[in-house]
Amino acid sequence: MAPRHPAPELRRKHRRARLRTLAFLSPWLVGFSVFFAYPLLATGYFSFMHYNQIEAPTFVGLRNWKYVLGQMPLFGPALWNTLWLVVVMVALRVVFGLGIGLLVTKVKSGAGLFRTLFYLPYLAPPVAATVAFVFLLNPGTGPVNEILSAIGVPAPNWFNDPTWAKPSLVLLSLWGIGDLMVIFMAALLDVPKEQYEAAELDGAGALSKFRYVTWPSITPIVMFAVVTGVVQTMQYYTQALVAGKLASGVGVGPGSSIQPGYPDHSTLTVPQLVYSLGFQNFNTGAACVLSLVLFAIAMAVTSLLMRKSAGLRTAED
């Protein structure tokens, strides 16, 4: 019969195990507390306060929530633009990234050159890439419109037209598709070749092999790209703001300031509205309400996508 540990010694052993576990978890716990939990709690606190970042905050109850959800005129357009970009931009980025990944993996010669050409635009800083793209699509002097005019195609006003401003931002995002291309290439190259050979023996064509072999293998990677794309697009700020400033004729340098959303609030996103309220109008309470609304929408969409992903994997299994 094995000897029993005395109760004090057993408690000390469990205490040491808990302390060891906490020591390993401490970097994550500190990061979570400082960079997520505290900002989230502070945002919730200030959403019920009138605070201009100078005077002490004063409690105003639900006044900020009523103002943002019922009286703020730009909340509707900003939310619509953000959701439009989430749906259209994320969908097209996933489709184009997967398509280019398939193309590059099938190229027999020059694959390295193609990978480099498609990946280089992604390495450009967001501001520099946006400046270059706005220059290319400039209605008066941009080479894109000159080429379109030369071949007889009506040239849009791109970032100066409310109808074309958001599609222009989507084109900008597709220009930097290199990140998704690399992710999908890794997933495609990881599909077992034996499955393709078995499908060929069964007489499967290219579409059948993609549907029954490639797609089930890369579904988790596709869902990863969709979820991360939704989260990133919910925070879409820099490119829309820089493009609006340049298209309106305002420089990007220090001292330049305009209300975001040019032209006609067509590129206004919720993060831009949060910045405008909190740091230009010093209405911190309303900015915190907007942040919480955006956080709630992002969490709801992400949870829905994760549930759909789990159901899809279960059905495939």
Side-chain angles (χ1 to χ4, degrees):
M1 183 176 179
R4 294 183 179 180
H5 292 284
E9 182 179 349
L10 186 60
R11 285 196 295 270
R12 285 196 296 269
K13 183 178 180 180
H14 289 170
R15 188 182 302 112
R16 286 195 297 268
R18 287 193 294 268
L19 291 175
R20 185 166 55 250
T21 303
L22 285 175
F24 283 113
L25 286 175
S26 58
W28 180 86
L29 290 173
V30 171
F32 177 82
S33 302
V34 173
F35 297 108
F36 181 80
Y38 171 73
L40 183 60
L41 293 175
T43 302
Y45 169 78
F46 285 116
S47 68
F48 299 101
M49 300 289 172
H50 171 71
Y51 182 46
N52 58 8
Q53 304 179 23
I54 299 175
E55 302 173 349
T58 56
F59 181 75
V60 294
L62 296 177
R63 188 181 303 172
N64 292 324
W65 290 86
K66 292 178 180 178
Y67 169 69
V68 170
L69 299 179
Q71 302 174 12
M72 180 182 292
L74 296 180
F75 174 67
L79 183 61
W80 162 252
N81 292 336
T82 302
L83 296 178
W84 189 96
L85 290 172
V86 166
V87 173
V88 177
M89 185 180 292
V90 173
L92 290 180
R93 276 180 56 84
V94 170
V95 171
F96 273 74
L98 179 57
I100 295 174
L102 284 168
L103 176 65
V104 175
T105 54
K106 299 299 182 182
V107 172
K108 300 299 182 180
S109 60
L113 176 62
F114 282 106
R115 286 197 300 266
T116 303
L117 291 177
F118 282 117
Y119 190 71
L120 276 179
Y122 172 72
L123 298 178
V127 174
T130 306
V131 171
F133 209 74
V134 173
F135 169 76
L136 291 174
L137 298 182
N138 186 286
T141 60
V144 173
N145 276 15
E146 292 182 358
I147 295 174
L148 292 177
S149 300
I151 61 177
V153 177
N157 284 329
W158 302 112
F159 290 104
N160 293 90
D161 186 348
T163 304
W164 281 94
K166 287 192 290 293
S168 301
L169 292 175
V170 173
L171 291 177
L172 172 60
S173 70
L174 296 179
W175 186 43
I177 201 68
D179 57 335
L180 288 185
M181 177 200 71
V182 171
I183 293 174
F184 284 128
M185 280 181 56
L188 292 168
L189 294 174
D190 197 44
V191 179
K193 294 182 179 180
E194 295 81 4
Q195 295 184 10
Y196 288 118
E197 295 172 356
E200 289 179 357
L201 291 176
D202 290 338
L207 291 178
S208 297
K209 286 191 291 185
F210 177 81
R211 179 180 178 183
Y212 295 108
V213 178
T214 306
W215 182 254
S217 300
I218 66 172
T219 297
I221 307 302
V222 173
M223 292 308 303
F224 168 80
V226 172
V227 171
T228 55
V230 167
V231 174
Q232 292 174 355
T233 311
M234 283 285 188
Q235 307 172 52
Y236 199 71
Y237 174 82
T238 303
Q239 293 88 335
L241 183 66
V242 173
K245 279 190 172 185
L246 291 173
S248 65
V250 178
V252 186
S256 61
S257 177
I258 63 168
Q259 290 298 319
Y262 179 87
D264 195 22
H265 307 302
S266 60
T267 59
L268 179 66
T269 60
V270 176
Q272 292 183 64
L273 196 56
V274 170
Y275 178 84
S276 178
L277 283 172
F279 297 98
Q280 291 181 328
N281 300 321
F282 300 102
N283 191 349
T284 305
C288 289
V289 172
L290 272 177
S291 300
L292 291 174
V293 171
L294 184 63
F295 174 75
I297 294 175
M299 288 294 294
V301 174
T302 303
S303 300
L304 178 63
L305 289 173
M306 296 299 291
R307 287 174 63 87
K308 292 293 184 181
S309 174
L312 182 60
R313 290 198 299 270
T314 302
E316 290 174 351
D317 294 340

